[in-house]
Amino acid sequence: MTDEAGMADEAGMADESGMDEQHIRANLDAIVGQIRQYVPSMAPYYAIDEPLGQYAARLRPADPAPVHARRQHRLAGAVQRVLRQAFGPAAAELPVDARDLRAVNIVDHHQLLNHPLLLGTNIIANADRLTGPDEQGRRPDGGKRPIVTLSCSNVPPSNHYMLGGFRYRGENVPYFKAKENRDAVYYVGARPFDFVERLRAVKRWTRFTPDEQAFLTGYQDHLNGLDHAHTHRHRDQLAVALRGTWPLLFEEHLRKDLPDLLYATMEDVTREFLLDLLGGAGACEENHLTAALFDPAFRREVLDAFRGVVVAWDEAAGKGTHFFWRKYPGRPELLRLYVDGTDLVPTDPRFAHLKVPLEPAAVRDHLEREELVPSVALCVLVLLHAGVRPLVGPGSLVYTTRLRDGWADLLGRHGEAAEADLAARVDTGGLIAGTPMFFAPAQGGGVRTLHAADVFSLGGVSEAYLKTVLGTPLRDLLRVGSSGVYELFAGSYIPQESRLTERVGFDAAASVVHDWL
C-alpha cells in the first residue's frame, strides 16, 4: 500500500483552543522548519511561490523519447482494458492514449472521493485544465481529454482515508462491516452502497439533521443509480462511482466542460501490462523488466537494491512482499510472498504449498486467474520502464525517487547505459498531495475543512473559489497541510528528542494562511 496513510487527520492533532493567530503562525513555522530540515526532498516545495495554476502546468512533461512513447502506447492499451472491466462497451467512448499517461497521479487509494488529503490531488495535478481552454487537446466528441489516475487497491476498507466508508459532517458513514477490516479492496466483490441502512442499524441515523439525512439518501441513490451493469467487483464499481461523483465537487455550470476522471487500479494496469509482455507459450519478451522476475542473478540484485525501501520489502522486519501479493485462499485478503530459490513462497507456513514458480508460464497463469497482485514497487518499476512521470505525495516522493535511482544504477551496472539514462531522466518530483483544498465557514467563526460529501452537499465549489485556489501560491497551500505531512515523516525522519508535541490542525492553519477564506 502507499505510505501516505501515515498522515494525520485534520481533527485531533492538537487542542487548538486558546491559540491566537501569532501562536498558530509560530507553530506552523516550527512544523515547516523541521520538515525542511529533516526531509530535504520536501524543502523546495515550501519555497514555491508561483500560483497553483502555473505550478500544475509545469507537471505536464515534454514529449517522451521514442522508446518510451512506444511503451506508453502499450500501457495505454492496458489502461483501456482495465476501463472496459468497469465500463463495458461505454469504455470505447472514454479514449485513453499515451498523451494521458505521460504524467499520472499515483497517490490515491481506490475508494470513493472522501478524505481532504486525497481530495485535492486531482485538483492540484490538473489545476490548469479545470477552467478555460485545455492545451492538452480535445476528445473526438469535443470534450476535454480525461484525467487518468492510477490508484492503489491493495489496501483494506479500514485504511486511514476510508475508515469503512466516508465522512460527512464530522461523522463516519460506513458501508463496510467491521469484520471486513482486513479485506483487500482489490478482492472485494460487488456490493450495494447501503450506508443509510447501516446508519439506521447502528442507531446513528438520528445524529444527522433532516436536511443531512435527505442528502445522504440522495447520495446513496445517486451511487446505486450509476451504470454498474458491467461491474462484478467492487473496484470496478468504485471506478464508475468516481467518474460519476467527480463533477459534484464543482458547481453545476462548471461540470459541462470538466475532464472525465478515470481511475484504474495500479495493480490491474500492471497486471495487464505484464500479461502483454509475457505473451503466449514461449513468447515472453526478454528485457530488463522480465529479467527482474525471471533471471535468478539479476532478480537477487533487484531484491538487494530495494530492500528497506517503503512499498518494497524488508524480510527481517517482515514487511512488504517480493514483486507480488498472493490471494488468501477463500478470503478477500492478501498473503505476503518471499523468493525461496526459484519460487515465490507465502511467508505464512500454512500456505507454503501455494508457492508460485518464478517462470513466465506460471506467473502468467496466476495473473490471468488474479491469484497474484502486483506490489506497489513492481507497479512503479513498470511506470519507470514506460517513462511515465509519477505525480506523487510526500511519502511517494521519497520512495519513487529511491526506486528510480536504484533501478537506474542497476541498469548501468549491467551495461544498459541507454536504459539507465532513460530511467534516470524520469521526473519523480511532481508533488500533488499533502494539503486540503476545500473549506467552508464554521459555525461560531473560523473555517472547517471539508470532506468530499460535505462539498457535494453544498452544491460544489464556485468558479470564483476555484480561480482563487488556482491563484494561491503553492507554498501557502502546502503550509496548511504541513501538520499532516509532519505526522507522516515524524516516526522515520525526525529525531524523537526534537519532535514537536504541539501541532496545528488544518482548520486553524487555513484560518490564518488563507486570508481569502
Side-chain angles (χ1 to χ4, degrees), residues 151-312:
S151 51
C152 179
S153 65
N154 66 1
V155 293
S158 59
N159 78 78
H160 173 78
Y161 292 130
M162 189 175 183
L163 297 177
F166 61 93
R167 196 166 174 86
Y168 174 59
R169 297 287 182 170
E171 294 281 347
N172 288 335
V173 180
Y175 68 92
F176 279 87
K177 298 177 181 178
K179 68 179 182 180
E180 298 173 296
N181 281 350
R182 297 181 62 183
D183 292 354
V185 171
Y186 186 87
Y187 281 125
V188 172
R191 59 196 300 127
F193 294 97
D194 60 356
F195 42 83
V196 170
E197 291 74 18
R198 290 185 187 275
L199 286 169
R200 286 177 171 145
V202 298
K203 303 187 185 308
R204 288 169 46 202
W205 183 241
T206 55
R207 295 185 186 184
F208 299 96
T209 67
D211 285 347
E212 291 166 351
Q213 290 175 355
F215 164 74
L216 287 170
T217 301
Y219 183 34
Q220 178 171 289
D221 289 344
H222 178 75
L223 289 170
N224 288 321
L226 296 169
D227 184 4
H228 297 290
H230 304 279
T231 59
H232 306 292
R233 307 165 304 191
H234 188 53
R235 65 188 195 265
D236 297 330
Q237 288 179 293
L238 286 169
V240 172
L242 287 158
R243 183 192 179 213
T245 56
W246 155 254
L248 303 181
L249 290 174
F250 309 91
E251 66 180 3
E252 191 166 359
H253 88 273
L254 293 173
R255 298 172 190 172
K256 63 182 181 300
D257 199 34
L258 281 175
D260 267 316
L261 180 63
L262 304 178
Y263 272 59
T265 68
M266 285 204 297
E267 296 86 359
D268 276 324
V269 171
T270 300
R271 170 181 170 272
E272 290 289 336
F273 189 81
L274 290 175
L275 285 171
D276 190 18
L277 290 184
L278 295 176
C284 177
E285 293 185 22
E286 293 185 7
N287 57 42
H288 50 277
L289 199 57
T290 55
L293 296 173
F294 305 125
D295 181 289
F298 189 55
R299 181 172 65 228
R300 178 52 54 191
E301 290 188 58
V302 172
L303 294 177
D304 290 343
F306 298 142
R307 184 170 293 110
V309 177
V310 173
V311 306

Side-chain angles (χ1 to χ4, degrees), residues 282-420:
C284 177
E285 293 185 22
E286 293 185 7
N287 57 42
H288 50 277
L289 199 57
T290 55
L293 296 173
F294 305 125
D295 181 289
F298 189 55
R299 181 172 65 228
R300 178 52 54 191
E301 290 188 58
V302 172
L303 294 177
D304 290 343
F306 298 142
R307 184 170 293 110
V309 177
V310 173
V311 306
W313 41 79
D314 186 338
E315 300 90 334
K319 293 182 178 180
T321 190
H322 287 168
F323 305 117
F324 300 97
W325 301 94
R326 202 198 198 292
K327 187 178 185 301
Y328 194 111
R331 298 184 193 173
E333 298 179 19
L334 302 173
L335 288 172
R336 177 177 289 112
L337 300 170
Y338 287 155
V339 173
D340 183 2
T342 59
D343 300 314
L344 283 170
V345 182
T347 58
D348 187 330
R350 295 175 298 169
F351 303 109
H353 62 286
L354 296 177
K355 65 184 180 181
V356 180
L358 274 166
E359 56 187 41
V363 171
R364 182 177 62 251
D365 173 62
H366 283 78
L367 286 173
E368 287 174 341
R369 292 187 288 111
E370 297 188 5
E371 291 290 326
L372 287 180
V373 183
S375 70
V376 173
L378 183 55
C379 293
V380 172
L381 289 186
V382 166
L383 295 182
L384 294 173
H385 172 75
V388 171
R389 183 183 189 184
L391 302 180
V392 295
S396 46
L397 169 68
V398 176
Y399 71 69
T400 55
T401 301
R402 290 189 63 187
L403 289 170
R404 179 202 63 192
D405 293 347
W407 188 235
D409 180 65
L410 270 174
L411 294 173
R413 287 192 279 112
H414 277 263
E416 298 279 355
E419 286 286 353

